[in-house]
Amino acid sequence: MLVVQKFGGSSVADTDRVQAVADRIARAKRDGDDVVVVVSAMGKTTDQLIRQAHEISEIPPGREFDMLLTAGERISMALLAMAISERGLTARSFTGSQAGIITDASHGKARIIDITPGRITDAIHEGHVVIVAGFQGVSRDSKDVTTLGRGGSDTTAVALAAALEADLCEIYTDVDGVYTADPRIAPRAHKLDRVTHEEMLELAASGAKVLQVRSVEYARNHGVRIHVRSSFTFHEGTWVERDGTMEQAIISGVAHDTSEGKLVVRRVPDKPGVAAKIFSALADESINIDMIVQNVSDDGTTDISFTLPIADGPKAVQRLEELRADVGMEEVVLDEAVGKVSLVGAGMKTHPGVAAAMFQALSDADVNIEAISTSTIRVSVVVRQQDVETAVRAVHERFGLGDEVEAAFGEGEVHV
Amino acid sequence: MLVVQKFGGSSVADTDRVQAVADRIARAKRDGDDVVVVVSAMGKTTDQLIRQAHEISEIPPGREFDMLLTAGERISMALLAMAISERGLTARSFTGSQAGIITDASHGKARIIDITPGRITDAIHEGHVVIVAGFQGVSRDSKDVTTLGRGGSDTTAVALAAALEADLCEIYTDVDGVYTADPRIAPRAHKLDRVTHEEMLELAASGAKVLQVRSVEYARNHGVRIHVRSSFTFHEGTWVERDGTMEQAIISGVAHDTSEGKLVVRRVPDKPGVAAKIFSALADESINIDMIVQNVSDDGTTDISFTLPIADGPKAVQRLEELRADVGMEEVVLDEAVGKVSLVGAGMKTHPGVAAAMFQALSDADVNIEAISTSTIRVSVVVRQQDVETAVRAVHERFGLGDEVEAAFGEGEVHV
């Protein structure tokens, strides 16, 4: 069996942790699997490098910033290769470029456009444990080193698993799987044994931090089976797989996200082309818009609201103010004190009344809903930030997601 | 003018020093020069990485050790590029591999076999300051990352200057040039304005630490002009150039080296093939032998002595013991308490009596000579280690190398 194993920064935080990870890899290899490991930078390395860069430059050039940051995985992967060699196996580490992770040229948030894993497959056939630097690639045209952005190592792992036609992609993390809700908020939350790619995608997009959205998207598109599990135990984690013959639970979990703000553009003329102008301008700034809600009023104007990462708020406001003369809005209001609570479940599309039951649960808990957005397998609401925990608990209980077993979390996450 | 500037680890020890180096580079660029910068890892970075590796593995695999160490220059070059950008110029950093530094596959001490600097020349023509990681390359066949070994950044700089047909290679260091002797030992030592490649080669090989031997060899073979100067001042340093029309001083300087030990193989049969066996065995272990002296006795045996890096001593002894049955030696004795003192001067080949005068000076100072080795422009002696300083002063004085001006040293060196 060919397995891709991904270890994040907390799993290789120091040389002791590197040794423990090497033990686990060696065990898989000795059990007869071919193993390709994707590794992040050690613990705080990336933060240290960012701090050094900012001692020199407020806004460092993207190309050089990527060159700097990629030193992090270089260190962790070489140390991990050494630790594996100490266990009587041979290991070969490869940078993103050497591994054939070809990306576009968007430094800091490059997208993978191709994988040419010739050196990886050669190394596998020679019997080596292969270690690949997560988070990094090389741009197709300029041949410059690029990084994939936050959480990019998950995407590296899934993309490699797809390109190598691996049987399985194991994502090792500091929690033991995907939960029905954040156990710090809903203590009766329980671990899910399996979710579909679609559910995981909605959960990740709605704030569940265990997997990065892009990696799940990639896994869905390429049919990659993911096993999310703890690097501290050998327990089964959560399987993320195709929506096959398995019985659908109506609801799989409740996710929440307090990293976004809400921006309201008031009294925009209600005519064609206005929304296009607004969202094109924001796209030009590479601002990721999430929920969009438009309410038409009866005086020929409309309010357009949307959520976006808090960090992008000021830039969005500035860009929209520049459009004011052209578009004719009345005011732009940024509200950072909001939160999003989402209910996700592949079964909900065939079970009417899920949204209504969710809204009733929130009402019973005295939580006001400021905006609503739905997909076929998700209902999200925007609420006041201070109401988020209450809302998560209320929805979690309403749908009977509580379990007898209290959630068991790895030490890393609990103390964060 | 195209200038290659090399900055060592102490020149970029922290972000403040990186800023100072960026100022100097920006000044050269604004003065109209095209600048290619070769940079080492920051200060203690390499030592830290080595320590981490040894927490994991006593003898790490060479390929992975090189992968690890090359993270050091990656960090310094990216930070330096950012600092240059802050000064309104554009900079592009390149790893050894990206810069086309092609080497053999000897990890940890790779030799440059070709340079394909296409990306460098493109970047120069586009007007960028080009920054290249020192000390590293990529192996021709396996495409693995390699390092050139201790002081390899000097070699990177000179080799790039040759490949780019640069007008000049400036080596920035923490002293202000090449001295007639180490001023900490011979306080009247003075800075040399110019030396020939051959003299510099002998000085470097005899223990002068300001330039690495291989880099001087490369400069000599490719006719690269080197300017060794301080990164802390703007004073002229020492020019290292071809033996042109300039007047030859008889003597240029006295070098010393206490990093080597002496190994004596006693009572080896005096017959053909014995020396070949001994030195082939040591070459197989990649042990660099320096001075070799053989004294024939009259009983059909001979003693063979040679100097070698102290670190290689135990390995050499072990290897020779394995040969004992085959070769028939009596014993192998390692003596670490020796030192080498060398007198170097391009004029000495046409001035007889230099060696005799040197030996007389040592005798007058009561220093016993244990071995002698000469080239056309150098005389070296092995003495007791505790006699090295006395010997340097005696020889320095005897040849009138003292100067009225006391040697001025950069802070870095003086406090070491």
Side-chain angles (χ1 to χ4, degrees):
Chain A
M1 193 165 83
L2 173 59
V3 184
V4 174
Q5 299 187 328
K6 180 259 174 180
F7 295 92
S10 60
S11 300
V12 291
D14 52 38
T15 49
D16 285 342
R17 289 295 306 149
V18 169
Q19 303 273 25
V21 165
D23 282 333
R24 182 180 286 269
I25 294 165
R27 180 167 153 160
K29 181 73 180 170
R30 291 228 167 80
D31 285 349
D33 289 340
D34 286 326
V35 185
V36 173
V37 178
V38 173
V39 68
S40 303
M42 293 168 78
K44 303 292 173 203
T45 309
T46 305
D47 291 342
Q48 279 169 12
L49 292 171
I50 291 172
R51 195 165 53 243
Q52 281 187 304
H54 287 148
E55 282 172 28
I56 284 175
S57 174
E58 204 171 329
I59 305 169
R63 179 186 187 281
E64 301 304 325
F65 201 48
D66 281 354
M67 185 67 94
L68 178 73
L69 294 186
T70 50
E73 295 85 43
R74 199 177 190 86
I75 293 170
S76 56
M77 73 180 186
L79 292 174
L80 183 56
M82 292 175 194
I84 290 168
S85 301
E86 284 293 300
R87 281 149 183 82
L89 298 165
T90 61
R92 293 280 180 280
S93 67
F94 296 92
T95 64
S97 171
Q98 291 175 332
I101 313 283
I102 315 295
T103 74
D104 62 22
S106 305
H107 287 290
K109 49 183 165 185
R111 297 194 71 88
I112 297 174
I113 51 183
D114 194 14
I115 297 193
T116 53
R119 294 185 69 178
I120 305 301
T121 48
D122 287 351
I124 294 170
H125 291 144
E126 288 162 10
H128 303 301
V129 172
V130 173
I131 304 176
V132 176
F135 175 69
Q136 56 179 250
V138 63
S139 63
R140 181 166 49 189
D141 301 325
S142 60
K143 307 283 180 243
D144 286 326
V145 171
T146 55
T147 64
L148 309 181
R150 200 144 190 87
S153 293
D154 287 352
T155 307
T156 303
V158 172
L160 264 180
L164 298 169
E165 299 182 358
D167 299 277
L168 177 58
C169 180
E170 294 184 325
I171 305 280
Y172 285 93
T173 177
D174 48 12
V175 295
D176 58 2
V178 181
Y179 274 71
T180 52
D182 184 339
R184 287 168 298 184
I185 292 178
R188 283 158 46 80
H190 70 277
K191 194 189 71 186
L192 293 160
D193 291 333
R194 48 186 58 212
V195 289
T196 65
H197 288 124
E198 286 73 18
E199 289 172 306
M200 191 65 236
L201 191 55
E202 293 282 11
L203 286 168
S206 303
K209 293 187 178 56
V210 67
L211 277 181
Q212 205 240 355
V213 177
R214 278 166 63 193
S215 67
V216 183
E217 208 169 30
Y218 207 107
R220 184 194 57 185
N221 296 346
H222 295 81
V224 176
R225 284 178 77 210
I226 298 178
H227 187 189
V228 181
R229 55 192 305 192
S230 167
S231 66
F232 295 87
T233 72
F234 282 90
H235 300 149
E236 280 272 303
T238 300
W239 289 86
V240 184
E241 355 183 58
R242 267 189 212 285
D243 185 356
T245 56
M246 59 181 172
E247 191 73 26
Q248 295 291 345
I250 297 177
I251 300 299
S252 55
V254 182
H256 69 280
D257 188 354
T258 54
S259 70
E260 297 195 335
K262 183 177 72 167
L263 209 150
V264 184
V265 190
R266 286 208 204 286
R267 296 180 65 79
V268 176
D270 184 22
K271 60 182 186 189
V274 167
K277 271 186 186 159
I278 288 176
F279 292 105
S280 299
L282 297 171
D284 288 348
E285 299 288 328
S286 293
I287 295 170
N288 263 321
I289 302 306
D290 184 28
M291 286 170 62
I292 301 175
V293 179
Q294 179 170 348
N295 311 312
V296 185
S297 80
D298 52 8
D299 64 350
T301 68
T302 182
D303 291 353
I304 299 179
S305 308
F306 52 89
T307 59
L308 78 179
I310 286 178
D312 286 337
K315 193 163 60 171
V317 171
Q318 188 192 334
R319 194 70 189 82
L320 292 175
E321 290 290 354
E322 290 164 15
L323 284 183
R324 184 196 283 265
D326 183 18
V327 171
M329 63 198 71
E330 186 180 292
E331 64 174 339
V332 177
V333 181
L334 178 64
D335 180 356
E336 298 187 348
V338 297
K340 192 172 63 172
V341 175
S342 304
L343 183 65
V344 174
M348 89 171 52
K349 54 190 162 194
T350 53
H351 286 77
V354 168
M358 178 180 177
F359 302 155
Q360 186 61 51
L362 292 171
S363 166
D364 292 347
D366 215 19
V367 172
N368 189 44
I369 300 173
E370 301 194 5
I372 299 171
S373 155
T374 63
S375 79
T376 51
I377 64 167
R378 176 185 51 78
V379 182
S380 296
V381 296
V382 172
V383 299
R384 287 286 90 202
Q385 201 162 70
Q386 74 262 26
D387 289 340
V388 164
E389 300 199 2
T390 308
V392 168
R393 275 191 293 269
V395 174
H396 195 258
E397 289 305 309
R398 171 64 188 78
F399 287 91
L401 294 169
D403 198 1
E404 299 314 308
V405 184
E406 200 136 309
F409 252 33
E411 42 177 327
E413 183 81 349
V414 166
H415 301 301
V416 162
Chain B
M1 193 165 81
L2 173 58
V3 184
V4 174
Q5 299 187 327
K6 180 258 171 179
F7 295 92
S10 61
S11 300
V12 291
D14 53 36
T15 48
D16 285 342
R17 289 295 304 149
V18 169
Q19 302 273 26
V21 165
D23 282 333
R24 182 181 286 268
I25 293 166
R27 179 166 154 162
K29 181 73 180 168
R30 292 229 165 78
D31 286 350
D33 289 340
D34 286 326
V35 185
V36 173
V37 179
V38 173
V39 69
S40 304
M42 293 168 78
K44 303 291 173 204
T45 308
T46 305
D47 291 342
Q48 279 168 12
L49 293 172
I50 291 172
R51 196 166 51 242
Q52 281 187 303
H54 287 148
E55 282 172 26
I56 284 175
S57 173
E58 203 172 327
I59 305 169
R63 180 186 185 279
E64 302 304 324
F65 202 48
D66 281 355
M67 185 67 94
L68 178 73
L69 294 186
T70 50
E73 296 84 43
R74 198 177 191 86
I75 294 170
S76 56
M77 73 180 187
L79 292 173
L80 183 56
M82 293 174 191
I84 290 168
S85 302
E86 284 292 300
R87 281 148 184 83
L89 298 166
T90 60
R92 292 280 180 278
S93 68
F94 295 93
T95 64
S97 172
Q98 291 176 331
I101 313 284
I102 315 294
T103 73
D104 61 22
S106 307
H107 288 290
K109 48 182 164 187
R111 298 194 71 90
I112 296 174
I113 52 182
D114 194 14
I115 296 192
T116 54
R119 295 185 68 178
I120 305 301
T121 48
D122 288 351
I124 294 170
H125 291 144
E126 288 160 12
H128 304 301
V129 172
V130 173
I131 305 177
V132 176
F135 175 70
Q136 55 178 248
V138 62
S139 63
R140 180 165 50 186
D141 301 323
S142 60
K143 308 283 181 242
D144 287 325
V145 171
T146 54
T147 65
L148 309 180
R150 201 145 190 86
S153 293
D154 288 351
T155 306
T156 303
V158 172
L160 265 180
L164 298 169
E165 299 181 0
D167 298 277
L168 176 59
C169 179
E170 294 184 326
I171 305 281
Y172 286 92
T173 179
D174 48 12
V175 296
D176 60 1
V178 181
Y179 274 71
T180 53
D182 184 338
R184 286 168 297 183
I185 292 178
R188 282 159 45 80
H190 70 276
K191 194 189 68 183
L192 292 159
D193 290 334
R194 46 186 60 214
V195 289
T196 65
H197 287 123
E198 286 75 15
E199 287 172 307
M200 192 65 235
L201 190 55
E202 294 282 10
L203 285 167
S206 303
K209 294 185 178 54
V210 69
L211 276 180
Q212 205 240 355
V213 176
R214 279 166 60 194
S215 68
V216 183
E217 208 170 30
Y218 208 107
R220 183 195 57 186
N221 295 347
H222 295 82
V224 175
R225 284 178 78 209
I226 297 177
H227 188 189
V228 181
R229 55 193 306 194
S230 168
S231 66
F232 296 87
T233 72
F234 283 90
H235 301 151
E236 280 272 304
T238 300
W239 290 85
V240 184
E241 351 184 60
R242 264 188 214 286
D243 184 357
T245 54
M246 61 183 169
E247 191 75 26
Q248 295 292 343
I250 297 176
I251 300 298
S252 54
V254 182
H256 69 280
D257 188 354
T258 54
S259 70
E260 297 195 335
K262 184 177 73 167
L263 209 152
V264 185
V265 189
R266 284 208 205 288
R267 297 180 64 79
V268 176
D270 185 21
K271 61 182 184 190
V274 166
K277 273 185 186 161
I278 288 176
F279 292 105
S280 299
L282 297 170
D284 288 347
E285 299 288 326
S286 295
I287 296 170
N288 262 324
I289 302 305
D290 184 28
M291 287 171 60
I292 301 174
V293 179
Q294 179 171 349
N295 311 312
V296 184
S297 80
D298 51 10
D299 64 352
T301 68
T302 181
D303 291 352
I304 300 180
S305 307
F306 52 87
T307 59
L308 78 179
I310 286 177
D312 287 338
K315 192 163 62 171
V317 170
Q318 187 193 334
R319 194 72 189 82
L320 292 175
E321 290 290 353
E322 290 164 15
L323 284 183
R324 185 197 284 265
D326 182 21
V327 171
M329 62 197 72
E330 187 180 292
E331 63 173 341
V332 177
V333 181
L334 178 63
D335 180 357
E336 297 188 348
V338 298
K340 192 173 63 173
V341 175
S342 305
L343 183 65
V344 174
M348 105 174 32
K349 53 190 161 194
T350 52
H351 285 77
V354 167
M358 176 180 180
F359 302 154
Q360 186 61 50
L362 292 171
S363 166
D364 292 348
D366 216 18
V367 172
N368 189 45
I369 300 172
E370 300 193 7
I372 300 170
S373 155
T374 62
S375 80
T376 51
I377 64 168
R378 175 185 53 78
V379 182
S380 297
V381 295
V382 172
V383 300
R384 287 287 90 199
Q385 201 164 69
Q386 73 263 26
D387 288 340
V388 165
E389 299 200 2
T390 309
V392 168
R393 275 190 294 270
V395 175
H396 195 259
E397 288 305 308
R398 171 64 187 77
F399 288 92
L401 295 169
D403 198 3
E404 301 311 310
V405 183
E406 199 135 310
F409 253 37
E411 42 179 325
E413 184 82 351
V414 166
H415 301 299
V416 162

